[in-house]
Amino acid sequence: MAGERRIGEVILAVDQISLSFGGVRALENVSFDVRRGEIRAIIGPNGAGKSSMLNVINGFYHPQEGRITFKGQTRTQMRTHEAAEQGIARTFQNIALFKGMSTLDNLMTGRNLKMKVNFLLQALHVGPARREEIAHREFVERIIDFLEIQAVRKVPVGRLPYGLQKRVELGRALAAEPDLLLLDEPMAGMNSEEKEDMCRFILDVNEEFGTTIVLIEHDMGVVMDISDRVVVLDYGRLLADGSPDEVRRDQAVIDAYLGAVHD
Amino acid sequence: MLYREAGLFKTTYTADQALFPIPLDRYFVLAVLAVAFLVVPLVANEYWLQAVLIPFLVFSMAALGLNLLTGYAGQISLGTGGFMAVGAYMTYKIATGFPDLPIVVAFLLSGLCAAAVGVLFGIPSLRIKGFYLAVATLAAQFFLSWMFNKVPWFYNYSPSGTVTAPPRTLLGITVTGPEASAEVRYLLALTLVAVLALAAKNLVRGRVGRGWMAIRDMDIAAEIIGFRPYRTKLLAFAVSSFYCGVAGAMSLFLWLGSAETEAFSINVSFQVLFMVIIGGLGSILGSFLGAAFITLVPVFLTNAPQLVGLSMPVDLQKHIELMIFGGLIVFFLIVEPHGLARLWQIAKEKLRRWPFPY
Ligand SMILES: Nc1ncnc2c1ncn2[C@@H]1O[C@H](COP(=O)(O)OP(=O)(O)OP(=O)(O)O)[C@@H](O)[C@H]1O
Ligand SMILES: [Mg+2]
């Protein structure tokens, strides 16, 4: 890990979260925290509740019990757009891009909370509206350069190959300049070259912008390489929490994973 | 290579974000506007203005409105006729109640009334989608028709129940009422359409339009990056209904002269929906192409048989018209949801590569 990275105070605290869907207990009394500037991985077998955990953090699922404290503010319920306003951005396990819009427009949607010019000025597209659009376009172009997706700038994302779509989705989340970035299996379904690229982007984002990242990933090699601390979930319960090395040696984790298939 | 995009390198984002980044497009639009404003009023006869061009403009405005809602924001509506009725009747009330108010102001105010009504009937969209929303907007259509029919206040207690556009002047020229010439009405309609189409184009290429398209393409993801679904959808209903309201006002004041609620019936709602589907969902240009197509086909069917010396009974003509529309709608919905506008784009791409096959 790069020496100059600074890991700071707790930015997100997940406190005794329980979530169930009818009879299914997706999460049971799960607690952990995330520190500012770190890369935190969540791992676990299929159906362990990893995606549900991210959905709870960004307000998409409302847990029956427990509290979330983000940047010092505690909440039990919140709408997803409020989470966005507080600085949480995310990507999805099954890509959730705006398929009819170009790469550029998809990234520009990520800027919407920073855009303030009123409706009337936008309709006229004069002065402030034009300047605002251009300022944000410049920001988005930096992300486009960073992710090396210049060539598909104007292509509707529905036509892009899977790996590029994943990249665009990361770009859209980055465009929001989040304090906390939630990535749900950003490398799933990629070949090893694409995985390497994605790893590099994630590390660069974390290092250059200091963005705190919570990441779900099945590829153990990747997890061990890039994360600072790892949470292990199994059947909705927290199985282990610690550095990659600690987790790897944890007997409960070894038992849970014994016989489990990984890719 | 008649039409070129390659070889044009934009050096600033301003240039890249211009309304029409390709010069040829820009010249084309300017040329169309010049012809529409300067040449058409000189050469077009009364029949063309009254039977073709003015209705085309009225329907373009309505199609623009519906396209913003359905094509861009993905909220289906069958209430277009009802929102047009709000615009028509409110302009009538405002124009007769405040005779000194400039008529264009009355148009815009009634557009705002239609926007408010649109928001009201858009509220169900926060809960329901697709087919169910279509039914809810259908209810708006029937309710508004019923209201303008049954509440005499809206038609100033006239015994026949019709509303008639009163004569009003703009800059000393009579623009509405029986004395207004077709040229003048055409020019006023054209101005309104040109200005509001520009505004629509500006909206859809900025934050507002991106919010609408985001909600259309994936509402959950839109909310997760911070678009508020309530606001975004209701704004779409408001803006769309504003356009439809102005279209209704234009219909009564600049085209029909006098009308009953029948002029804003469910048939109109469907007609405008067909325009948007045939022209291209999610395209400003498509709104115009669709409106042109649907207003021109009947004209063509009326005149073409005579040109070749045949006569076609009126009812057969109506049937053929419906068959053409029906066939095309099925075709476009299945094969090319982006409508004529997309075909136009493909043609441009072909033109760009011409004479090379690839
Ligand atoms: N919206 C929902 N409705 C009902 N059950 C759900 C819902 N979302 C998740 N679940 C259930 O909660 C449990 C945890 O699911 P979750 O998607 O969080 O697992 P995961 O760890 O992300 O698995 P995977 O590795 O397959 O992505 C599963 O049993 C799942 O069926
Ligand atoms: Mg998952």
Side-chain angles (χ1 to χ4, degrees):
Chain A
M1 290 281 89
E4 63 274 21
R5 287 174 67 237
R6 270 212 345 266
I7 296 192
E9 79 289 356
V10 171
I11 185 173
L12 172 79
V14 174
D15 192 15
Q16 305 197 323
I17 294 288
S18 294
L19 171 77
S20 53
F21 301 97
V24 181
R25 299 280 272 173
L27 293 169
E28 233 179 300
N29 215 359
V30 176
S31 307
F32 64 92
D33 62 29
V34 179
R35 294 180 170 278
R36 198 180 277 276
E38 82 174 331
I39 298 181
R40 191 78 150 106
I42 301 181
I43 62 171
N46 287 353
K50 307 179 294 296
S51 297
S52 300
M53 192 67 240
L54 290 200
N55 284 331
V56 166
I57 294 174
N58 86 324
F60 188 55
Y61 287 169
H62 302 298
Q64 279 80 16
E65 282 163 53
R67 286 182 311 269
I68 300 277
T69 307
F70 181 62
K71 291 198 289 188
Q73 281 188 25
T74 302
R75 46 145 157 134
T76 45
Q77 290 232 340
M78 142 196 277
R79 298 291 313 255
T80 47
H81 64 78
E82 292 167 332
E85 282 156 27
Q86 288 193 5
I88 300 179
R90 72 169 290 181
T91 65
F92 293 80
Q93 187 168 349
N94 316 304
I95 303 171
L97 285 168
F98 308 124
K99 294 223 165 27
M101 301 164 70
S102 66
T103 298
L104 180 62
D105 277 343
N106 266 278
L107 265 61
M108 287 294 282
T109 60
R111 300 298 292 165
N112 90 86
L113 285 173
K114 315 260 177 208
M115 299 180 88
K116 301 283 179 247
V117 167
N118 70 38
F119 173 83
L120 215 54
L121 286 172
Q122 286 189 63
L124 299 170
H125 199 72
V126 289
R130 191 184 294 250
R131 280 195 296 277
E132 184 181 63
E133 190 78 10
I134 289 173
H136 290 285
R137 172 78 190 270
E138 273 164 10
F139 186 90
V140 161
E141 286 291 339
R142 286 209 291 278
I143 294 175
I144 288 179
D145 286 343
F146 170 71
L147 294 175
E148 298 157 19
I149 46 179
Q150 298 92 336
V152 296
R153 196 188 266 122
K154 298 271 171 92
V155 181
V157 295
R159 289 199 222 150
L160 298 179
Y162 180 81
L164 274 183
Q165 290 199 10
K166 282 262 180 201
R167 221 184 265 192
V168 174
E169 202 189 17
L170 174 65
R172 183 181 67 188
L174 290 178
E177 291 178 87
D179 293 318
L180 178 64
L181 179 59
L182 310 174
L183 304 175
D184 197 343
E185 305 199 14
M187 283 160 259
M190 289 185 164
N191 62 32
S192 62
E193 195 180 331
E194 289 172 324
K195 272 188 189 177
E196 249 169 55
D197 282 341
M198 190 53 94
C199 270
R200 182 162 51 85
F201 294 137
I202 292 171
L203 286 172
D204 282 353
V205 168
N206 176 254
E207 262 170 48
E208 285 176 31
F209 311 122
T211 310
T212 311
I213 295 171
V214 175
L215 150 112
I216 296 175
E217 184 49 55
H218 276 299
D219 186 320
M220 279 306 155
V222 169
V223 170
M224 296 302 155
D225 272 357
I226 71 175
S227 51
D228 297 296
R229 288 191 298 159
V230 183
V231 172
V232 189
L233 294 181
D234 189 27
Y235 292 111
R237 283 169 300 113
L238 187 112
L239 204 59
D241 181 0
S243 72
D245 279 334
E246 286 164 9
V247 165
R248 197 182 356 222
R249 285 195 302 268
D250 191 296
Q251 191 54 46
V253 176
I254 294 169
D255 292 345
Y257 268 91
L258 213 64
V261 184
H262 307 297
D263 44 357
Chain B
M1 290 202 244
L2 298 171
Y3 178 86
R4 303 205 50 170
E5 181 176 26
L8 281 173
F9 295 105
K10 287 138 203 142
T11 47
T12 64
Y13 296 132
T14 323
D16 194 41
Q17 284 176 188
L19 202 51
F20 300 103
I22 303 171
L24 213 65
D25 281 346
R26 200 154 49 228
Y27 302 142
F28 181 71
V29 169
L30 287 177
V32 167
L33 281 176
V35 169
F37 272 103
L38 302 173
V39 183
V40 169
L42 293 178
V43 299
N45 59 22
E46 174 83 20
Y47 170 76
W48 268 91
L49 290 170
Q50 183 64 28
V52 180
L53 292 169
I54 297 177
F56 160 69
L57 289 170
V58 169
F59 282 116
S60 297
M61 185 70 96
L64 269 176
L66 184 62
N67 216 337
L68 292 178
L69 183 65
T70 303
Y72 284 92
Q75 311 297 307
I76 190 150
S77 164
L78 291 174
T80 314
F83 301 133
M84 287 173 74
V86 175
Y89 280 80
M90 288 318 290
T91 313
Y92 175 72
K93 285 304 289 183
I94 294 170
T96 52
F98 307 90
D100 296 331
L101 198 72
I103 192 70
V104 173
V105 175
F107 276 31
L108 299 179
L109 285 178
S110 57
L112 292 179
C113 293
V117 173
V119 168
L120 199 65
F121 284 104
I123 290 175
S125 74
L126 309 179
R127 279 287 153 117
I128 55 180
K129 293 180 192 174
F131 175 72
Y132 296 96
L133 180 60
V135 172
T137 56
L138 198 61
Q141 169 70 42
F142 286 128
F143 172 76
L144 291 168
S145 268
W146 173 84
M147 185 179 76
F148 290 119
N149 219 347
K150 285 287 178 268
V151 183
W153 181 80
F154 285 111
Y155 46 87
N156 284 356
Y157 305 93
S158 90
S160 62
T162 40
V163 284
T164 304
R168 291 289 177 267
T169 58
L170 185 71
L171 309 170
I173 304 163
T174 307
V175 292
T176 66
E179 301 294 302
S181 74
E183 283 85 356
V184 167
R185 287 182 283 123
Y186 163 79
L187 281 173
L188 181 55
L190 180 63
T191 311
L192 286 167
V193 169
V195 169
L196 286 178
L198 178 67
K201 186 88 189 163
N202 284 339
L203 284 178
V204 299
R205 67 193 169 126
R207 173 170 59 93
V208 170
R210 285 191 295 266
W212 289 342
M213 291 185 276
I215 288 279
R216 171 196 70 191
D217 285 353
M218 188 156 285
D219 51 359
I220 292 167
E223 184 171 359
I224 276 168
I225 52 165
F227 289 109
R228 290 168 181 247
Y230 303 101
R231 265 197 218 168
T232 312
K233 287 184 189 174
L234 290 184
L235 182 64
F237 269 96
V239 177
S240 162
S241 306
F242 176 86
Y243 278 74
C244 293
V246 174
M250 287 164 54
S251 175
L252 175 60
F253 279 70
L254 302 179
W255 180 32
L256 301 171
S258 79
E260 296 171 31
T261 47
E262 193 50 33
F264 307 104
S265 67
I266 178 73
N267 291 339
V268 176
S269 297
F270 274 114
Q271 219 174 356
V272 178
L273 185 63
F274 294 165
M275 292 177 186
V276 172
I277 292 171
I278 290 180
L281 286 163
S283 157
I284 299 290
L285 172 69
S287 314
F288 287 98
L289 296 179
F293 191 83
I294 300 238
T295 36
L296 281 177
V297 166
V299 174
F300 177 78
L301 288 178
T302 316
N303 294 317
Q306 282 159 20
L307 287 179
V308 295
L310 290 170
S311 79
M312 193 196 282
V314 175
D315 54 342
L316 176 63
Q317 187 186 311
K318 275 277 160 239
H319 288 143
I320 294 185
E321 192 182 309
L322 283 177
M323 279 157 61
I324 293 181
F325 290 163
L328 279 172
I329 285 160
V330 172
F331 168 80
F332 278 117
L333 279 180
I334 295 173
V335 180
E336 187 49 85
H338 297 291
L340 291 172
R342 175 77 187 131
L343 297 183
W344 167 249
Q345 212 183 347
I346 293 172
K348 284 205 300 190
E349 270 164 34
K350 289 248 151 62
L351 205 58
R352 187 183 307 159
R353 288 195 285 259
W354 189 85
F356 306 108
Y358 296 106

